[in-house]
């Protein structure tokens, strides 16, 4: 038994639909600007250039149904609904044709963003960590185990704030499809069981405030909800 000088942190995890077991989270990868309309609303043209990625800490993940504290040190906390893929076995240099066989399950998730920090970093050519990798910034609904041969290539993806739909798109609008995303990541990283991939957001991103009730989902792959609480 290893003797640690401080108590080791709890293993981050997400719920599994229909089970009391949980899926341990190792790393969180996110894809930037992967829907054409969202790319335009961010001020760029949606060309099929190589995708880019950023990360969140594993303990940024929180369950659906929670009260999420409004993030400290921001006045522009924005929602971004995404399809999440959970990797179930080691994936190194895999092909797009085989990539989905490495997925354990799927869920709906939200990439919360401190937009003021993201834009400051973007405009000065600095990393996005303060804008993306903060506490409770990666809510994730219960994972639904993947079915053999399943390909989440189409399906409605949506998010509402206080009952008003703000984001409403389709998985078919992804610039880089999920099998391609997994394959490309597997050439730069040794993907391992427990890695989560947030695959990009459709247009309609916007701010939330304390008291807002958020709901969202991906057709066929689950829903999630949460309430924005006061800042800690």
């Amino acid at each position: 038994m290893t003797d640690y000088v401080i108590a080791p942190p709890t293993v981050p995890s997400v719920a599994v639909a229909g089970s009391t077991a949980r899926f341990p989270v190792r790393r969180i990868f996110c894809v930037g600007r992967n829907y054409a309309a969202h790319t335009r609303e961010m001020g760029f043209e949606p060309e099929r250039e190589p995708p880019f990625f950023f990360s969140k800490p594993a303990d940024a993940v929180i369950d659906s149904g929670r009260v999420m504290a409004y993030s400290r040190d921001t006045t522009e906390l924005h929602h971004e609904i995404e399809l999440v893929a959970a990797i179930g076995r080691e994936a190194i240099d895999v092909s797009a044709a085989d990539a989905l066989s490495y997925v354990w399950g799927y869920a709906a998730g939200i990439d919360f963003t401190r937009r003021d920090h993201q834009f400051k970093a973007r405009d000065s050519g600095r990393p996005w960590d303060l804008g993306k990798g903060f506490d409770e910034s990666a809510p994730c609904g219960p994972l639904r185990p993947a079915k053999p041969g399943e390909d989440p290539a189409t399906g409605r993806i949506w998010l509402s704030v206080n009952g008003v739909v703000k984001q409403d798109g389709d998985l078919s609008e992804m610039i880089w499809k999920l099998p391609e995303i997994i394959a490309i990541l597997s050439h730069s990283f040794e993907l391992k069981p427990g890695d989560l991939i947030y695959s990009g957001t459709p247009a309609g991103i916007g701010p939330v405030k304390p008291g807002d009730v958020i709901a969202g989902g991906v057709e066929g792959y689950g829903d999630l909800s949460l309430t924005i609480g006061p800042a800690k």
Side-chain angles (χ1 to χ4, degrees):
M1 180 176 177
T2 302
D3 185 19
Y4 294 103
V5 297
I6 61 172
T10 301
V11 175
S13 64
V14 295
V16 174
S19 174
T20 57
R22 296 182 65 84
F23 185 90
V25 178
R26 179 173 178 264
R27 294 181 294 190
I28 300 175
F29 297 99
C30 304
V31 186
R33 297 199 297 263
N34 198 33
Y35 285 72
H38 170 60
T39 300
R40 291 190 184 95
E41 74 179 347
M42 294 297 287
F44 298 90
E45 285 302 313
E47 299 175 0
R48 203 171 189 267
E49 59 187 6
F52 70 93
F53 302 92
F54 57 91
S55 299
K56 292 175 180 277
D59 64 2
V61 74
I62 62 171
D63 281 339
S64 174
R66 286 272 303 274
V67 175
M68 171 189 160
Y70 189 92
S71 180
R72 63 180 67 221
D73 193 30
T74 186
T75 58
E76 297 180 34
L77 182 64
H78 282 204
H79 57 75
E80 299 187 15
I81 185 73
E82 316 217 350
L83 171 70
V84 178
I87 299 299
R89 60 192 181 99
E90 186 177 88
I92 303 172
D93 289 333
V94 304
S95 68
D98 294 332
L100 295 182
S101 69
Y102 294 85
V103 176
W104 188 91
Y106 300 99
I110 300 176
D111 164 22
F112 273 108
T113 302
R114 297 193 290 202
R115 195 71 68 197
D116 43 0
H117 285 285
Q118 184 197 23
F119 281 177
K120 286 177 185 177
R122 184 192 72 182
D123 294 344
S124 58
R126 295 176 179 175
W128 288 8
D129 296 59
L130 284 177
K132 290 289 190 177
F134 53 94
D135 298 339
E136 300 187 335
S137 61
C140 187
L143 285 168
R144 300 208 173 177
K147 300 173 184 176
E150 185 174 36
D151 182 357
T154 63
R156 185 188 182 213
I157 177 170
W158 64 277
L159 180 141
S160 68
V161 179
N162 300 324
V164 178
V165 174
K166 300 292 186 178
Q167 293 185 263
D168 199 352
D170 194 278
L171 298 178
S172 63
E173 298 167 10
M174 285 188 187
I175 297 171
W176 290 90
K177 309 306 181 185
L178 186 58
E180 297 171 316
I181 291 167
I182 295 170
I184 291 167
L185 272 174
S186 79
H187 293 302
S188 294
F189 299 91
E190 295 184 359
L191 296 179
K192 303 278 189 178
D195 289 341
L196 299 183
I197 300 172
Y198 282 58
S199 58
T201 195
I205 58 171
V208 298
K209 63 184 184 303
D212 283 348
V213 176
I214 313 299
V218 182
E219 183 181 356
Y221 299 98
D223 302 320
L224 82 166
S225 63
L226 55 92
T227 299
I228 306 298
K232 291 183 178 179

